[in-house]
Amino acid sequence: MSGYGFSLAGQALVALPSGALHWPAQGLLCVSDLHFGKSDRLARRGGALLPPYETRATLARLDADLEATAARQVICLGDSFDDLDAADRLEDSDALWLTRLMAGRDWTWIAGNHDPGPLALGGSLRAEVRLQTLTFRHIADLGTTGEVSGHYHPKARLAGQARPCFLLDDTRLILPAYGAYTGGLRSDDAVLTTLMGPKALAVLTGRRALALPMPR
Amino acid sequence: MALGIGGPPLRRKGKPLRATSPLPCAAPCPYLAAMIPLPPALADWFAAQGWTLHPHQRQMLDLAASPACLLIAPTGGGKTLAGFLPTLAELGAAPAPGLHTLYISPLKALTADIRRNLRRPVEGAGLAIRVEDRTGDTTFTQRRRQRADPPHIWLTTPESLALLLSYDDAPRIFAGLRRVIVDEIHALAESKRGDQLMLSLARLATLAPGLRRIGLSATVEDPPALARFLAPDCRILQADPGPDPDISMLETEAAPPWAGGGGRYAIPAILDQVRAHRTTLIFHNTRAQAEIFFHDLWLQNTDNLAIAIHHGSLAREQRDRVEAAMTAGQLRAIVCTGTLDLGIDWGDVDLVIQVGAPKNVKRLVQRIGRANHRYNAPSKALLVPANRFEVVECHAAFDAVRAHTLDGDPRGPGPRDVLCQHILATAAAGPFDAGALYAEVTTAGPYATLTRPDFDACLDFVATGGYALRAYDRWQRLMLRGGQWTLRDPRAAAVIRQNLGTIVDTETLKVRLKGRMGTPLGEIEEAFAASLTPGDTFLIGGQVVRYEGLREMTVEVTRQPGRDPKVAVFSGTKFATSTLLTQRIMGIFAKKTWPELPPHTARWLALQREVSQLPQADRLLVETFPYEGREHLCLYGFAGRNAQQTLGLLLTKRMEDAGLAPLGFVATDYATLIWGLEPVTDVAPLLDAANLRDWLEGWLAGNAVMKRSFRGVATIAGLIERSHQGRRKSGRQATFSSDILYDTLQKYDPTHLLLAITREEAMRGLVDFGRIEEMLARVQGRIDLIALLRVSPLAAPLLLEHGRVPVAGAGQERLLAEAAERLLAAAGLA
């Protein structure tokens, strides 16, 4: 898979075209904002009845990424479930699939703003994770270097096409949303242009990971 | 004065009888005895104006009791008043309170126009008839009052009617309704708005038994089909069509350009015509073209002739001003689009100019009818081809108008996404019985052949989402309680009402002048707004403005006169040229010489015949040539824009599979031009009819055209909510793209109802596969592949066409990668 290799705080990382982050030296795969169970939450709230397939669509991509990278360690950067109920309401087949993916892997759920509490699915639940020179957390914090976060669902536009993207500068990396039913925040939004340094890159997802100067 | 039915219309000398100069009938009128008498006060008032009835207006009074009647009359035939006559007669001078007649028009502006026109005789004759309109623009207070105490004659639009029917007090409001008048039904019948309206009428007929229907239509090609659309048992009344129009091509000094639209070259000649006439309507096919043309026109309008612009993207205040000025006779010309296709009365229009080929003979005839809005006087019209090819197309259109042939494709059965919305709206009004609703729906013309299983599938979709993966109780919008379907959560009714309607617009943003309470100027597409950076200039409402920034989802601009604008890209409807017109174009090509065409065009065609050949009706011409380092292939299918577009997508897919590395294509109504890295030496295998359909099946699923259709279907059927200006937060998108839903359904639930509807719609509309098959059947494998060393005269304009489509595939990824690398290098980051 044609990922984009780069280094952050001295660590060699690869932004995968799927939107996952691969850290080969650690055998680690990191994904953000899976938003499992989004259609379920909307239906419960009396909103639109969206096709209830986004969880399996997201699982299918995660499965493929785990297979391809042979990662032994997984960090989900928060908002993995659209809300706490969503975790309990997973279809049996989806829950089984997730359990199979988790089996034999060191799996960490980082708390997000949608799913802050504990989970019955196994794995460890953490507010943030430090590994060597990197810090993994849900929402970026201005003071940190070597930070990997999610939350914003960044998107960027190239040649008329908007795609979910990684945002990368000397001190931090923001991951795109990995979940199937997720909107996005354009990279030229003030929140993101403030967070990211002047030489920041956007790495577009798609068939190949494409790096370009972050549109602002 | 006695007049037999069918005799010549009587009118005051020099004063035409038409919508703005209301009615009719010098009293005493002996023939009135045979029908419902008009209230004496009204008859006296008509007499004072010196007006008499047209024959078809009298007949409408005769037919007042019939359950359904379709009146077909040319523009200017006073058909709107013909529709109202029975109601005015029945209401009389002092009617009891209560709703009597509902009048539905496709345009808000038209309802306001009709209200003004109807008030004149009503007030002039001192009749105590209340006439009010209700549209999206009606204030909240007034709407509430209207629901409590509806007027005698209520003027509204299909969308506002659907909304009224979704409230639980609809049975009370409409219980006494006697008649419904559908104006411009020919226009409504061409879109889902008409299908929705017919479902609403079916509902009304249940709420008000004995309801009578009147349909008012311009000239159409198939009156019985339109009558069936309106009601199961419908009389047809044809008014005298009047004399043939006086139609010709505008002579210009400059020859039309090779490609593009807009007709800028013709501005001096058009200004001469405006000077020579009282009032001129200048029609354009798209809003963007109207804007550009209007801007250029003013740069050359040295006499300061009063010329205004009117189209659907302009702010309501702007349009109101233009309409008022026009009604007051202050304007010499108005640059406009399809918004003016319908019968708003503009007063003394004596010339219609159509810029750009009309694409469709019926629409042309209807537009021409706008000039000399008087019965039995020929309309005067000038055609202005926007480019060289359109010269031929305009000639084909003349011939068709002279031969009285109209085109039009029969519409299929009523689309099921509209039915889904109707079921949802019905649930918002209150509990319903499925069997009763099914029976009611099948009384609507477009749904007469709907089967119960199809209805049930729609109901299932509305109730549960209709997914193969059966979800749980919570996955329900409707529940069955005591045999009746009802909303699980009554609060959902508000959301359902917000999403009513079958017009799915591209997302737009309002444009305002910067400053507190800045003047609203209109709307632009969100995608266009996103491409702007502060300092960019664009055209709106004929003025050049500078983009200052986005504030709370409003585009703020400042005036910037005298600057060259970056062009505004509006969503102009692009019509495909009709089959009838393309046949006539082939007919022109087949001639030996073209004395009737301007010399520049005749020379162009002769040169094409010399270096290659001219396309023929029973053969398919394909040219290949190198140009600017790319191999080009030009296929003259004459199948209309949508089909040529599909052909482009299909062929490039096949070429990609064959390793021919296509890079992109562009399609027009008559040809598809494809460019790539490898030359095509054998085109027949690419066009094999049987395989083509198989490829289509495989290819269609992942295609952008399908996704575009899906977005509309999913919005109408209620799967995705319309985004409302107020609810949208800046930057962060509240919703994600419908493409993702499409992909998910395609992968996990490929037989889902909405995919079936999308497919059906795309095959008929944007994909237009029918016309590709029609073309292949016509050609029967007789393909002429001509390898040229350089571009042919006929292909040259295509190289200048807008709307190039890159081929999504390996090629595109390569191009994106190159672009990204260039950007990195330029930023010193590589």
Side-chain angles (χ1 to χ4, degrees):
Chain A
M1 60 183 86
S2 29
Y4 175 78
F6 60 96
S7 124
L8 179 67
Q11 310 298 335
L13 305 173
V14 183
L16 298 181
S18 64
L21 176 72
H22 186 210
W23 187 354
Q26 293 284 324
L28 181 148
L29 191 78
C30 176
V31 291
S32 188
D33 298 273
L34 298 168
H35 284 272
F36 285 136
K38 179 154 189 161
S39 63
D40 184 89
R41 182 172 64 96
L42 291 175
R44 259 183 287 130
R45 287 184 166 188
L49 303 175
L50 299 181
Y53 307 111
E54 83 283 12
T55 300
R56 62 177 73 173
T58 306
L59 282 169
R61 281 191 300 137
L62 189 56
D63 200 342
D65 275 347
L66 288 171
E67 176 106 341
T69 57
R72 309 307 307 162
Q73 188 177 357
V74 175
I75 297 179
C76 300
L77 275 184
D79 287 0
S80 305
F81 294 89
D82 213 53
D83 66 0
L84 273 179
D85 283 353
D88 301 335
R89 291 171 180 272
L90 280 186
E91 292 284 330
D92 289 347
S93 57
D94 292 343
L96 263 174
W97 194 348
L98 182 56
T99 311
R100 183 170 63 73
L101 294 183
M102 292 174 73
R105 292 194 168 96
D106 176 359
W107 197 287
T108 306
W109 304 104
I110 285 182
N113 53 319
H114 279 256
D115 58 346
L119 295 158
L121 280 161
S124 51
L125 179 80
R126 309 272 294 277
E128 57 180 55
V129 168
R130 279 169 210 267
L131 253 179
Q132 302 203 20
T133 53
L134 296 181
T135 303
F136 295 84
R137 61 163 64 103
H138 183 55
I139 304 182
D141 181 354
L142 269 179
T144 319
T145 54
E147 179 194 69
V148 179
S149 66
H151 177 64
Y152 290 107
H153 303 200
K155 274 190 173 181
R157 194 167 269 277
L158 175 64
Q161 295 202 21
R163 292 185 179 181
C165 67
F166 296 82
L167 296 180
L168 167 67
D169 67 12
D170 298 341
T171 59
R172 73 171 45 82
L173 172 71
I174 300 180
L175 263 60
Y178 196 82
Y181 292 175
T182 46
L185 182 65
R186 276 169 41 184
S187 63
D188 58 2
D189 189 273
V191 178
L192 294 175
T193 52
T194 314
L195 266 175
M196 303 306 295
K199 288 197 161 180
L201 295 181
V203 182
L204 300 193
T205 58
R207 288 197 202 188
R208 291 173 51 185
L210 285 175
L212 63 145
M214 173 175 130
R216 41 172 91 222
Chain B
M1 194 181 304
L3 261 182
I5 302 286
L10 248 195
R11 58 181 181 276
R12 199 173 64 179
K13 213 178 199 174
K15 185 66 192 174
L17 186 63
R18 59 163 195 247
T20 38
S21 43
L23 312 208
C25 194
C29 289
Y31 52 84
L32 276 184
M35 49 196 171
I36 316 173
L38 287 176
L42 189 61
D44 291 347
W45 190 81
F46 291 152
Q49 313 294 315
W51 289 329
T52 53
L53 293 177
H54 288 312
H56 59 269
Q57 292 172 322
R58 284 197 306 273
Q59 283 170 291
M60 288 304 281
L61 278 171
D62 288 339
L63 293 173
S66 81
C69 181
L70 174 67
L71 171 63
I72 294 174
T75 321
K79 62 174 176 295
T80 305
L81 284 160
F84 276 110
L85 276 178
T87 292
L88 292 177
E90 283 165 17
L91 281 170
L99 180 61
H100 181 286
T101 289
L102 199 59
Y103 163 89
I104 293 142
S105 92
L107 289 180
K108 284 187 278 194
L110 199 50
T111 63
D113 197 44
I114 297 294
R115 192 193 56 211
R116 277 194 300 273
N117 295 338
L118 209 51
R119 274 186 175 171
R120 260 185 73 201
V122 166
E123 285 168 9
L127 305 181
I129 297 176
R130 256 172 73 203
V131 182
E132 289 174 19
D133 57 358
R134 183 205 161 94
T135 64
D137 294 341
T138 311
T139 62
F140 177 73
T141 337
Q142 204 181 346
R143 286 184 201 195
R144 214 170 37 185
R145 189 186 52 68
Q146 285 178 338
R147 270 170 60 199
D149 176 23
H152 295 113
I153 298 179
W154 213 359
L155 317 168
T156 190
T157 57
E159 289 71 27
S160 286
L161 174 60
L163 186 60
L164 280 168
L165 286 168
S166 74
Y167 287 100
D168 55 5
D169 58 359
R172 182 189 56 75
I173 296 175
F174 294 109
L177 184 68
R178 310 289 293 281
R179 178 177 287 112
V180 57
I181 303 171
V182 183
D183 204 354
E184 310 281 358
I185 189 172
H186 61 281
L188 283 170
E190 283 176 359
S191 74
K192 291 182 178 178
R193 301 181 71 201
D195 300 313
Q196 182 187 36
L197 177 60
M198 292 309 127
L199 289 170
S200 292
L201 293 196
R203 191 93 263 260
L204 280 178
T206 304
L207 301 180
L211 179 73
R212 288 158 294 170
R213 304 176 186 194
I214 288 178
L216 307 172
S217 170
T219 320
V220 288
E221 77 284 0
D222 188 359
L226 192 57
R228 281 194 302 277
F229 177 81
L230 175 64
D233 182 20
C234 183
R235 298 275 302 257
I236 299 172
L237 195 57
Q238 295 255 22
D240 178 357
D244 281 353
D246 164 11
I247 168 176
S248 52
M249 190 117 86
L250 178 67
E251 305 222 339
T252 57
E253 267 180 43
W258 288 109
R264 182 190 201 148
Y265 77 99
I267 286 177
I270 289 177
L271 280 172
D272 287 344
Q273 292 294 331
V274 170
R275 255 178 237 114
H277 290 82
R278 234 180 4 258
T279 312
T280 305
L281 291 185
I282 305 168
F283 276 102
H284 284 260
N285 287 336
T286 69
R287 291 171 189 179
Q289 281 173 5
E291 280 283 351
I292 299 161
F293 179 87
F294 183 67
H295 179 74
D296 291 338
L297 187 70
W298 265 96
L299 294 178
Q300 297 184 38
N301 183 8
T302 44
D303 300 355
N304 278 323
L305 296 167
I307 301 175
I309 182 164
H310 189 286
H311 62 68
S313 293
L314 294 179
R316 188 180 139 219
E317 294 85 344
Q318 298 265 88
R319 274 182 281 164
D320 285 350
R321 258 206 312 279
V322 172
E323 285 163 24
M326 191 72 182
T327 313
Q330 290 161 356
L331 295 179
R332 292 297 298 279
I334 186 157
V335 175
C336 54
T337 62
T339 344
L340 285 199
D341 270 341
L342 302 168
I344 301 177
D345 198 292
W346 293 106
D348 289 331
V349 174
D350 53 352
L351 176 65
V352 163
I353 294 179
Q354 162 73 35
V355 181
K359 308 287 173 203
N360 174 308
V361 179
K362 186 169 55 172
R363 193 165 39 244
L364 177 65
V365 168
Q366 290 163 1
R367 277 185 180 171
I368 291 173
R370 304 305 306 277
N372 258 9
H373 221 182
R374 77 185 67 195
Y375 205 46
N376 279 357
S379 306
K380 189 169 171 194
L382 288 168
L383 297 194
V384 181
N387 59 49
R388 212 61 65 90
F389 187 82
E390 286 190 353
V391 174
V392 183
E393 212 174 317
C394 284
H395 264 273
F398 285 161
D399 295 346
V401 171
R402 290 198 191 105
H404 296 279
T405 46
L406 294 182
D407 39 18
D409 300 312
R411 284 193 83 216
R416 286 171 289 164
D417 51 346
V418 179
L419 178 60
C420 290
Q421 186 182 101
H422 183 71
I423 296 173
L424 207 47
T426 306
F432 65 87
D433 175 78
L437 185 60
Y438 171 69
E440 180 185 295
V441 160
T442 52
T443 63
Y447 296 90
T449 57
L450 181 78
T451 64
R452 182 65 198 252
D454 278 349
F455 173 85
D456 287 340
C458 290
L459 177 57
D460 183 43
F461 165 76
V462 170
T464 69
Y467 301 109
L469 174 75
R470 278 289 150 198
Y472 313 101
D473 292 355
R474 63 180 182 273
W475 216 281
Q476 289 206 341
R477 196 150 37 173
L478 304 190
M479 321 237 344
L480 198 53
R481 289 191 185 118
Q484 302 251 301
W485 287 95
T486 136
L487 284 181
R488 183 182 63 130
D489 180 356
R491 286 169 302 181
V495 180
I496 292 170
R497 289 190 191 108
Q498 277 172 357
N499 286 287
L500 286 181
T502 59
I503 306 173
V504 180
D505 279 332
T506 43
E507 302 291 337
T508 57
L509 296 177
K510 287 208 159 64
V511 181
R512 277 178 183 276
L513 281 179
K514 196 175 174 175
R516 279 196 330 140
M517 312 290 286
T519 320
L521 297 175
E523 292 180 343
I524 56 175
E525 275 179 40
E526 196 168 346
F528 175 67
S531 74
L532 294 170
T533 48
D536 278 350
T537 54
F538 62 98
L539 272 170
I540 186 159
Q543 41 184 314
V544 182
V545 294
R546 179 180 194 273
Y547 175 70
E548 298 294 341
L550 197 63
R551 198 173 137 187
E552 287 161 7
M553 300 317 274
T554 300
V555 176
E556 291 195 323
V557 299
T558 49
R559 282 211 175 88
Q560 199 75 174
R563 291 273 296 271
D564 264 353
K566 183 172 171 174
V567 165
V569 186
F570 294 104
S571 59
T573 322
K574 280 191 172 164
F575 298 107
T577 298
S578 70
T579 312
L580 169 77
L581 262 181
T582 49
Q583 282 165 354
R584 285 185 176 271
I585 291 168
M586 293 288 197
I588 292 177
F589 283 162
K591 292 181 181 175
K592 285 211 165 56
T593 55
W594 301 275
E596 73 281 15
L597 292 179
H600 50 70
T601 305
R603 267 201 307 278
W604 176 53
L605 295 185
L607 191 62
Q608 170 71 21
R609 188 172 274 163
E610 196 181 308
V611 303
S612 173
Q613 49 175 260
L614 279 166
Q616 299 162 60
D618 56 349
R619 307 186 73 83
L620 178 64
L621 172 62
V622 182
E623 294 172 341
T624 59
F625 54 88
Y627 181 74
E628 287 190 343
R630 303 265 194 252
E631 297 295 336
H632 285 68
L633 177 143
C634 191
L635 188 148
Y636 302 91
F638 282 84
R641 183 179 295 272
N642 292 337
Q644 292 288 151
Q645 177 105 358
T646 300
L647 213 45
L649 290 162
L650 272 178
L651 291 184
T652 49
K653 176 76 178 70
R654 297 304 301 166
M655 287 167 67
E656 171 123 347
D657 292 350
L660 296 168
L663 289 171
F665 72 90
V666 66
T668 68
D669 277 308
Y670 61 99
T672 303
L673 179 70
I674 301 172
W675 54 93
L677 299 177
E678 304 293 331
V680 176
T681 47
D682 188 7
V683 75
L686 296 175
L687 284 169
D688 181 84
N691 288 339
L692 210 58
R693 185 163 260 283
D694 286 348
W695 302 333
L696 183 79
E697 300 295 329
W699 154 90
L700 208 52
N703 166 289
V705 173
M706 287 288 276
K707 289 180 179 170
R708 218 168 100 197
S709 301
F710 177 77
R711 181 171 164 267
V713 166
T715 306
I716 291 171
L719 179 65
I720 49 180
E721 290 170 18
R722 292 164 197 269
S723 37
H724 295 277
Q725 298 281 353
R727 288 217 314 251
R728 272 193 288 175
K729 305 250 185 294
S730 63
R732 181 97 183 223
Q733 291 167 0
T735 54
F736 42 92
S737 95
S738 62
D739 293 4
I740 293 167
L741 291 183
Y742 176 84
D743 287 339
T744 311
L745 275 179
Q746 195 63 251
K747 189 161 176 192
Y748 296 100
D749 208 342
T751 58
H752 190 263
L753 176 69
L754 292 197
L755 292 182
I757 299 175
T758 301
R759 220 189 114 77
E760 203 175 274
E761 183 166 312
M763 289 299 267
R764 271 209 304 252
L766 289 171
V767 173
D768 212 358
F769 197 71
R771 282 187 75 177
I772 295 179
E773 291 192 314
E774 195 181 285
M775 182 264 286
L776 292 172
R778 188 177 78 210
V779 166
Q780 293 290 341
R782 291 178 292 260
I783 299 171
D784 300 315
L785 179 65
I786 299 189
L788 299 167
L789 294 175
R790 54 198 173 98
V791 57
S792 74
L794 208 52
L798 285 151
L799 293 168
L800 307 169
E801 271 293 326
H802 295 289
R804 295 175 152 234
V805 181
V807 170
Q812 190 194 48
E813 288 297 320
R814 208 166 67 213
L815 292 177
L816 281 178
E818 284 167 17
E821 269 164 36
R822 277 198 305 276
L823 285 169
L824 280 178
L829 295 167

